[in-house]
């Protein structure tokens, strides 16, 4: 067994999961999500575990997402395609297990928390952000779509801010993660380290776990250093992103012509037109879905993207060749038909391919 994920249980009832692939920003492999899933299943009913801590090793942060470089292999081998499908199945299963976990989970959203890192921690009961937090759903940068349950949790953000974040892949800081309901508490990174030490030293067998934990977190809690950037933009975001088609959103941004709308339009036009349309439908449909239904849709879409040119072009241009000039299948959103988008929400054996 590799040590890409570390786990431990101390004698006082604190269990810890450490994502331990710091050279790859702790991006998640199949073996990592498998081990996390096994431990959560075990700890759910283990009377020696009262509290779970999830954190990342190294200075950069919690987790940059999935191990995209390995997923990229799926383009050239049947075995790699099968492995990639298995990764998404296990990853989403573990994300769901975090939502359902019956004991407190403290998620340390310190530093980079993106994509798969967001998915792994969104369902945790006590999510803590710091001055170092950089949070994003960055999948639109690689011709993919905001997965790991984003159609569920981005719809928990105020107004249409979740759509904006998913489609533009914007990076946000602590105050905004709180604003979109992606975290529960702010504290300084140093304070978070002290909190976790105190959690580890506490004998959870002797106390009311929930009350004691919440009292403890309160003692370290502080006000975020920067104000929310999204809150002042929310009226503009809601105005432009209230539409259910990309054509209308882009037209609305064009009509306005302010600095903000020009920038947002430019951002959207840098993405795969096909990915944009699939993601918007996923997020619109997600409003009516349960968390579990959102993950089921994500699995279907992930498997279809593993068979679509734009995902590999996106990954190639950002992480392999780093030329930042993807040659996506379509040039304009108007070239992508509703029929093709709708087809993509069907199992892969039903997707027509050219
Ligand atoms: C979009 C993404 C990811 C990304 C960049 C994007 C992602 C991901 C990584 C990543 C970064 C550094 C690594 C690594 C992976 O980058 O999901 O192995 O060392 O994991 O624009 O979705």
């Amino acid at each position: 067994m590799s040590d890409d994920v570390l786990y431990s249980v101390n004698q006082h009832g604190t269990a810890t999961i450490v994502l331990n692939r710091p050279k790859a920003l702790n991006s998640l492999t199949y073996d990592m999500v498998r081990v996390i899933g096994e431990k959560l299943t075990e700890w759910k009913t283990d009377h020696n575990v009262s509290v779970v801590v999830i954190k990342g090793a190294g200075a950069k942060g919690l987790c940059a997402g999935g191990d995209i470089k390995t997923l990229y292999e799926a383009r050239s081998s049947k075995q790699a395609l099968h492995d990639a499908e298995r990764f998404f199945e296990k990853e989403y299963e573990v994300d769901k297990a975090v939502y359902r976990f019956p004991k407190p989970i403290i998620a340390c959203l310190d530093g980079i928390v993106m994509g798969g890192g967001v998915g792994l921690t969104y369902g945790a009961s006590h999510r803590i952000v710091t001055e170092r937090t950089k949070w994003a759903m960055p999948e639109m940068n690689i011709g993919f779509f905001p997965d790991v349950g984003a159609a569920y949790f981005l719809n928990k953000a105020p107004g249409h801010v979740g759509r904006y974040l998913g489609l533009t892949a914007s990076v946000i800081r602590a105050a905004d993660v709180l604003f979109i309901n992606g975290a529960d508490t702010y504290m300084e990174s140093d304070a978070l380290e002290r909190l976790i030490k105190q959690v580890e030293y506490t004998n959870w067998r002797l106390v009311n776990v929930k009350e004691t934990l919440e009292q403890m977190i309160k003692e370290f809690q502080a006000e975020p250093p920067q104000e929310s950037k999204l809150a002042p933009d929310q009226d503009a975001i809601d105005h432009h992103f209230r539409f259910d088609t990309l054509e209308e959103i882009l037209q609305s941004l064009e009509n306005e012509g302010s600095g903000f709308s020009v920038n947002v339009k430019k951002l959207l036009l840098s993405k795969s037109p096909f990915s944009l349309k699939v993601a918007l439908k996923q997020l619109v449909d997600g409003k009516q879905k349960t968390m579990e239904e959102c993950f089921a849709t994500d699995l279907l879409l992930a498997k279809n993207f593993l068979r679509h040119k734009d995902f590999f072009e996106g990954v190639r241009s950002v992480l392999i060749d780093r030329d930042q000039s993807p040659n996506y299948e379509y040039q304009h959103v108007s070239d992508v038909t509703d029929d093709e988008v709708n087809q993509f929400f069907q199992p892969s054996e039903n997707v027509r391919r050219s």
Side-chain angles (χ1 to χ4, degrees):
M1 236 321 285
S2 79
D3 56 2
D4 287 347
V5 59
L6 308 176
Y7 55 86
S8 60
V9 180
N10 76 11
Q11 74 270 36
H12 292 147
T14 297
T16 305
I17 288 171
V18 183
L19 309 182
N20 188 39
R21 229 158 69 87
K23 283 183 186 150
L25 276 169
N26 299 325
S27 56
L28 299 167
T29 65
Y30 176 77
D31 279 336
M32 290 165 74
V33 290
R34 181 179 55 78
V35 169
I36 297 166
E38 282 170 10
K39 289 299 135 190
L40 290 179
T41 301
E42 191 184 313
W43 293 344
K44 193 162 53 180
T45 54
D46 182 344
H47 294 295
N48 296 314
V49 171
S50 300
V51 176
V52 175
V53 175
I54 301 180
K55 60 185 185 181
K60 294 228 173 112
L62 178 70
C63 175
D67 178 16
I68 302 292
K69 285 176 189 163
T70 298
L71 295 176
Y72 186 72
E73 309 284 318
R75 89 192 187 291
S76 48
S77 117
K78 222 172 169 175
Q79 179 63 46
L81 174 61
H82 176 264
D83 290 350
E85 294 192 341
R86 191 180 67 152
F87 167 76
F88 286 118
E89 283 166 8
K90 186 58 80 177
E91 181 189 31
Y92 300 168
E93 181 191 310
V94 172
D95 294 345
K96 285 188 283 181
V98 171
Y99 282 86
R100 288 192 302 257
F101 199 73
K103 302 171 188 180
I105 298 182
I106 305 170
C108 302
L109 310 189
D110 190 28
I112 288 171
V113 185
M114 300 191 182
V118 173
L120 180 63
T121 53
Y122 193 90
S125 59
H126 298 78
R127 303 161 301 178
I128 299 170
V129 283
T130 75
E131 78 283 2
R132 298 175 359 105
T133 303
K134 288 186 183 160
W135 186 106
M137 288 302 290
E139 295 83 1
M140 294 304 298
N141 292 335
I142 54 169
F144 198 55
F145 71 106
D147 68 334
V148 294
Y152 176 75
F153 64 72
L154 287 179
N155 278 311
K156 302 262 175 242
H160 294 303
V161 169
R163 270 187 204 182
Y164 163 79
L165 292 175
L167 295 178
T168 61
S170 299
V171 178
I172 59 173
R173 312 293 299 247
D176 281 324
V177 185
L178 293 164
F179 177 72
I180 63 154
N181 298 313
D184 306 290
T185 307
Y186 175 85
M187 66 185 66
E188 287 182 5
S189 188
D190 290 350
L192 176 56
E193 212 165 293
R194 293 196 301 276
L195 167 72
I196 298 304
K197 284 216 174 82
Q198 194 168 329
V199 166
E200 287 165 353
Y201 290 140
T202 300
N203 191 340
W204 295 104
R205 291 158 207 278
L206 306 177
V207 297
N208 178 313
V209 174
K210 199 160 178 287
E211 267 178 30
T212 305
L213 177 60
E214 275 161 20
Q215 188 56 44
M216 217 179 273
I217 287 174
K218 261 199 198 128
E219 283 163 28
F220 292 94
Q221 180 169 6
E223 285 301 314
Q226 303 165 306
E227 307 243 302
S228 167
K229 288 199 167 88
L230 289 172
D233 284 340
Q234 194 193 333
D235 283 350
I237 289 170
D238 286 349
H239 178 75
H240 299 302
F241 284 81
R242 74 197 136 124
F243 301 105
D244 290 353
T245 69
L246 252 311
E247 285 85 346
E248 288 170 292
I249 291 171
L250 289 166
Q251 188 60 58
S252 175
L253 290 164
E254 173 141 356
N255 291 346
E256 160 102 16
S258 67
F260 174 80
S261 61
V262 168
N263 282 337
V264 172
K265 181 161 172 261
K266 209 182 289 173
L267 266 178
L268 292 177
L269 292 180
S270 72
K271 316 300 186 203
S272 150
F274 181 72
S275 289
L276 282 173
K277 284 203 165 174
V278 168
L280 182 58
K281 177 175 166 56
Q282 172 222 13
L283 297 173
V284 169
D285 292 356
K287 281 189 292 192
Q288 322 289 339
K289 289 183 177 171
T290 64
M291 179 268 286
E292 287 83 358
E293 288 168 338
C294 287
F295 276 104
T297 300
D298 284 358
L299 188 56
L300 213 150
L301 292 176
K303 289 182 178 183
N304 285 337
F305 269 109
L306 287 171
R307 294 164 172 82
H308 196 280
K309 172 186 174 183
D310 284 6
F311 171 55
F312 298 104
E313 257 309 286
V315 174
R316 184 200 60 73
S317 69
V318 169
L319 292 168
I320 309 292
D321 297 339
R322 297 174 182 263
D323 58 17
Q324 312 287 340
S325 49
N327 175 25
Y328 288 131
E329 178 155 356
Y330 297 104
Q331 299 298 312
H332 306 287
V333 292
S334 55
D335 298 337
V336 184
T337 66
D338 289 348
D339 187 45
E340 192 179 353
V341 172
N342 293 336
Q343 285 265 334
F344 217 65
F345 287 75
Q346 300 297 320
S348 59
E349 56 268 27
N350 299 337
V351 176
R352 282 196 306 264
R353 261 176 300 276
S354 46

